[in-house]
Amino acid sequence: MIAVIVGGAMSYLVTWLHERRLTRRERAVRWDERRLDAHVVYLNAVSDQGMLTRRLAATRGFGHRLPAASHR
């Protein structure tokens, strides 16, 4: 009888630990995906700012690699 109780407790403990590990792994993966998305958004914003800066510089005669920004 004691062996059945100990076996059941051990089974519950192992299952609980396994589920806990899986939950932590899933949370880490989601966090990594969010971090990657944030980096992509940031790099796109930096790229857009660089493009705008080069176009504005072209309107002032600094460099000729990109078309000048249009005046409104």
Side-chain angles (χ1 to χ4, degrees):
M1 184 75 147
I2 293 175
V4 171
I5 293 172
V6 170
M10 293 297 289
S11 176
Y12 174 79
L13 179 64
V14 169
T15 302
W16 179 75
L17 288 172
H18 179 69
E19 290 295 325
R20 183 174 142 191
R21 185 176 61 91
L22 288 178
T23 301
R24 285 184 179 188
R25 177 185 284 169
E26 288 174 6
R27 192 177 314 143
V29 168
R30 283 194 309 258
W31 179 249
D32 288 343
E33 289 173 355
R34 288 181 189 157
R35 188 181 308 165
L36 178 62
D37 291 343
H39 284 295
V40 167
V41 169
Y42 174 74
L43 290 176
N44 283 335
V46 169
S47 176
D48 291 345
Q49 288 295 319
M51 178 74 72
L52 179 61
T53 301
R54 288 190 300 272
R55 290 184 70 187
L56 289 174
T59 62
R60 306 263 182 182
F62 299 106
H64 302 285
R65 297 177 70 190
L66 295 173
S70 62
H71 296 283
R72 290 183 190 196

